[in-house]
Amino acid sequence: MDPSDVLRKLGRQEYKRKNYHGALNFFNSVISHEKVPPIEALDNRAATYEKLGDLHAALKDGRRMVSEYKSSCVGYLRTGKVLRLLGKEETALGIYKYGLRNVPPGDPSFQLLNQMYDESRRACGPRKARDPLTVLPTEIAQMILTYFDFKEIVSIVRVSTLWRDYLTSMPGLWTKLDFSAAKAKIPGTAIHKYLQYSRAGATEVVTSRLLFQQEKFLPHLARFCRKLETLQIKDGCSNESLIKAVSITRHLKSLSLSTNCPTTLDCVSQILDHCSTLERAEFHYIQAPHPPRPPLWPSNLPKLHALTLNLEIPVSSIPMMPSIHPLLEHLPEIRELKLSNWSSNSVIPTPGNIEMGHLHTLALVNYQGHVFFHSLPSLRSVQLNRCPQIFRWLSTSEFKPDLRVLGYSKFSISYAEVEPEKLLQLIGTELEDLKHLSITHCTTLHELELIEMVSRGYMDKLSHLDLSHTHVTDNVIEPLVLRARHLRRVKLAATKITGISVKALVTRPGMELVHLDITDCNNVSADAKTLARKKQGLKVLSGMSEFSGKKIRFE
């Protein structure tokens, strides 16, 4: 027999006889002769120290076991026990938790370690812990639960049977079913269960990551939830099921189809025709018809306030596209209009004769059509991106600078060949509410015009500024830093600024930047980038874009 085993056996015999000093001598002999002593010897000596009242020595052996034998429960159990004897319950809880992460579940003592963790966790909790749902008045508990979103409510339901029964007895908690936060596919049984919890009273549903096809689900949802007002679809579904579901609903006010849910132009027109109650409609992926054919747009949409229509491909690749004008003429209450990749075959003179007195948000991306509006007195936010015909109109004598009455809060224009003076007229002089300004890829706007914009106060009240891909230099940034004290997010990608501008923006007293984009700014020195990155709370986007073959650095 190995001498170490003999000494350990003798030590255990002395321990049983309660001769702890004698047992300690044997265990010391075993440990002193081994560079890495057996875990059993360390555990035996720690137990002996416990009996002798030397808890700190026992704790030292316990920590040694944890350090040298991480995958064994012995060290964690011994260390946790000693810590609890020392009154360090929270530290013991941490040791047990650390052990559960390192010990494989197949260890014979893993269940005991888990049991000790649960016991220590209960001991660390309040001594008089009580179920809040049994203590609080029903009205207060319900009010608190309304602050949780759907994902959090589902987690709370799983706490206990009592909580599940309590929460599922409250249909008001299940009126908004948002499945977009799910990490895995959701089975149909779970969907049906949550619908039952709502007692057919769900008013808002977001479908995503469903384990089954939506062909049958959407019509069933529309029939079951008669009070449905908001529907967002983030996964693909057939146009037939979508039209069927929409035709069943009677109170649908908002419909949004993501880019993962392609629809045809005919489907869009049928949805708008069948659902006259819609106030918001978003179609982010519309398949262009091949060959082109005019859709049958509905003639009456009195309640539609917001409309988003995004075609799948640029209209430049299609020789003819149906006109959007017949639809726009029947939107008397439209407030938000976003069109992407649309064209127009309309013969309406420029400017158009469509009245949109309530429109406050207009976004046109790659719009190839004529100017369809006559006056926009309520416009507050405008985005014009690659709109050549509108830009050409702005550059003609027909353009009237009193197009709008109110001041903008957001103004964005890109890829525009517009005379600088016409651009300033479009922005207007009511600058008190202008907070977001984006002018990108505008080759006609040179350094002197940009300096003039700064000096005339166009950027004084801004919190967001984007001048990417323009002729911005240090001469523009110098007066900007002195006047625009409220800037929070600045984008100067692919401009001619140097490190002087970066340092001025970062060190300006009172300016609390949180985002700075200097991608593709080749004249900015490394020390200026380092200074910007060191500023607390500032995220810097630098380096070269993907088109330059290098990754962007974001920190």
Side-chain angles (χ1 to χ4, degrees):
M1 183 179 291
D2 187 1
S4 297
D5 294 337
V6 174
L7 292 173
R8 208 163 51 245
K9 183 178 180 180
L10 293 173
R12 286 195 296 269
Q13 290 176 355
E14 294 300 319
Y15 184 88
K16 290 180 180 179
R17 298 190 186 104
K18 299 184 179 182
N19 182 13
Y20 301 122
H21 290 284
L24 184 62
N25 292 331
F26 285 114
F27 296 139
N28 285 334
S29 298
V30 175
I31 293 171
S32 62
H33 287 85
E34 299 286 347
K35 185 177 181 180
V36 181
I39 190 172
E40 294 83 1
L42 289 171
D43 188 46
N44 292 149
R45 188 171 73 172
T48 305
Y49 278 132
E50 284 184 33
K51 294 297 184 181
L52 293 172
D54 193 350
L55 296 180
H56 292 284
L59 181 61
K60 185 177 180 180
D61 280 344
R63 294 189 181 277
R64 187 175 179 182
M65 286 186 280
V66 170
S67 175
E68 296 179 358
Y69 299 93
K70 286 187 176 181
S71 60
S72 175
C73 287
V74 176
Y76 303 105
L77 290 171
R78 180 62 63 184
T79 305
K81 180 182 178 182
V82 175
L83 286 170
R84 298 184 72 181
L85 291 173
L86 288 170
K88 300 180 179 180
E89 196 69 55
E90 292 186 358
T91 308
L93 179 63
I95 288 293
Y96 291 140
K97 185 176 181 179
Y98 182 63
L100 291 173
R101 290 202 305 263
N102 292 294
V103 177
D107 190 288
S109 301
F110 185 83
Q111 293 298 328
L112 177 59
L113 180 62
N114 196 18
Q115 179 182 340
M116 297 306 298
Y117 169 76
D118 291 337
E119 183 179 325
S120 182
R121 185 178 59 180
R122 287 192 296 270
C124 289
R127 294 185 177 182
K128 296 183 179 180
R130 299 179 64 182
D131 189 340
L133 297 184
T134 63
V135 177
L136 295 174
T138 304
E139 296 79 6
I140 300 297
Q142 291 180 355
M143 184 181 67
I144 293 173
L145 291 171
T146 56
Y147 285 93
F148 295 100
D149 58 27
F150 176 69
K151 181 182 178 182
E152 293 168 335
I153 290 293
V154 172
S155 300
I156 295 173
V157 166
R158 297 171 180 170
V159 171
S160 66
T161 304
L162 176 63
W163 284 30
R164 182 197 63 194
D165 295 340
Y166 186 83
L167 268 67
T168 55
S169 67
M170 302 167 58
L173 292 177
W174 306 91
T175 56
K176 297 181 180 180
L177 308 181
D178 185 357
F179 302 104
S180 60
K183 296 181 179 179
K185 293 287 186 178
I186 307 173
T189 53
I191 301 290
H192 181 72
K193 177 176 61 177
Y194 299 134
L195 290 176
Q196 292 290 339
Y197 291 163
S198 71
R199 309 291 196 276
T203 59
E204 181 178 336
V205 177
V206 181
T207 67
S208 180
R209 302 186 64 81
L210 302 184
L211 191 60
F212 52 91
Q213 296 296 324
Q214 300 193 50
E215 279 71 12
K216 296 182 179 180
F217 169 70
L218 288 178
H220 170 73
L221 174 67
R223 283 191 296 267
F224 188 79
C225 301
R226 291 291 181 175
K227 298 180 180 180
L228 186 64
E229 296 181 355
T230 301
L231 177 61
Q232 295 184 42
I233 302 176
K234 298 190 176 183
D235 289 335
C237 64
S238 68
N239 292 318
E240 293 77 10
S241 63
L242 185 58
I243 295 172
K244 185 177 180 180
V246 170
S247 62
I248 296 174
T249 60
R250 293 292 179 266
H251 305 282
L252 191 63
K253 296 181 180 180
S254 176
L255 175 65
S256 176
L257 307 182
S258 72
T259 54
N260 295 325
C261 186
T263 55
T264 64
L265 200 54
D266 289 337
C267 178
V268 173
S269 62
Q270 291 186 54
I271 289 175
L272 294 177
D273 188 34
H274 283 85
C275 196
S276 60
T277 58
L278 275 179
E279 298 178 3
R280 172 177 290 273
E282 299 179 8
F283 303 92
H284 293 278
Y285 195 112
I286 303 175
Q287 296 172 334
H290 298 281
R293 59 185 182 277
L296 298 175
W297 295 117
S299 59
N300 185 24
L301 293 170
K303 296 184 178 180
L304 195 60
H305 294 165
L307 178 63
T308 299
L309 299 175
N310 293 339
L311 284 174
E312 62 168 312
I313 57 177
V315 296
S316 57
S317 63
I318 303 176
M320 285 187 60
M321 276 298 300
S323 174
I324 193 67
H325 288 75
L327 174 62
L328 300 180
E329 290 174 346
H330 298 94
L331 300 176
E333 298 296 326
I334 193 70
R335 290 168 170 78
E336 180 180 319
L337 180 62
K338 299 180 181 180
L339 303 176
S340 179
N341 295 330
W342 276 90
S343 179
S344 171
N345 297 322
S346 172
V347 294
I348 296 177
T350 302
N353 57 3
I354 299 178
E355 297 288 347
M356 293 186 170
H358 301 288
L359 190 69
H360 60 71
T361 299
L362 175 65
L364 302 178
V365 179
N366 202 25
Y367 180 79
Q368 306 293 327
H370 298 290
V371 178
F372 53 81
F373 46 80
H374 176 64
S375 63
L376 303 175
S378 300
L379 197 61
R380 302 284 289 168
S381 175
V382 61
Q383 176 187 355
L384 302 176
N385 185 352
R386 297 181 186 272
C387 304
Q389 295 193 36
I390 293 182
F391 294 153
R392 281 195 292 271
W393 172 62
L394 295 177
S395 298
T396 65
S397 59
E398 297 179 10
F399 169 64
K400 299 183 182 300
D402 59 350
L403 175 66
R404 28 161 299 285
V405 177
L406 297 177
Y408 291 121
S409 60
K410 296 182 181 180
F411 184 91
S412 174
I413 191 169
S414 57
Y415 293 97
E417 296 182 2
V418 184
E419 294 180 9
E421 190 60 32
K422 294 290 185 181
L423 178 60
L424 297 183
Q425 289 179 4
L426 178 62
I427 299 175
T429 57
E430 300 293 333
L431 306 174
E432 188 67 27
D433 296 328
L434 186 61
K435 306 300 181 184
H436 296 237
L437 178 62
S438 175
I439 304 176
T440 64
H441 297 89
C442 294
T443 57
T444 58
L445 203 61
H446 295 89
E447 179 187 49
L448 292 178
E449 286 81 8
L450 289 168
I451 294 175
E452 182 181 0
M453 286 187 65
V454 176
S455 63
R456 290 170 61 174
Y458 281 87
M459 304 179 187
D460 287 1
K461 302 295 184 179
L462 295 180
S463 61
H464 293 60
L465 175 63
D466 186 358
L467 296 175
S468 302
H469 297 273
T470 58
H471 299 289
V472 176
T473 64
D474 293 340
N475 295 330
V476 178
I477 301 300
E478 182 180 358
L480 173 68
V481 171
L482 297 177
R483 298 183 63 112
R485 302 179 179 180
H486 307 287
L487 283 175
R488 301 274 292 169
R489 302 177 69 87
V490 178
K491 295 183 179 181
L492 301 170
T495 57
K496 300 177 182 180
I497 64 169
T498 68
I500 296 175
S501 296
V502 174
K503 292 177 181 178
L505 287 167
V506 172
T507 59
R508 173 70 168 91
M511 183 180 292
E512 300 180 358
L513 281 183
V514 297
H515 180 88
L516 178 62
D517 185 355
I518 50 175
T519 306
D520 290 334
C521 293
N522 300 325
N523 298 328
V524 176
S525 59
D527 62 324
K529 296 178 182 178
T530 302
L531 176 66
R533 295 188 188 108
K534 287 183 178 179
K535 183 173 181 179
Q536 187 176 5
L538 176 62
K539 292 184 178 180
V540 182
L541 188 61
S542 64
M544 306 299 291
S545 66
E546 58 182 352
F547 302 103
S548 303
K550 296 182 180 180
K551 293 183 178 180
I552 295 175
R553 182 170 181 175
F554 183 58
E555 54 183 297

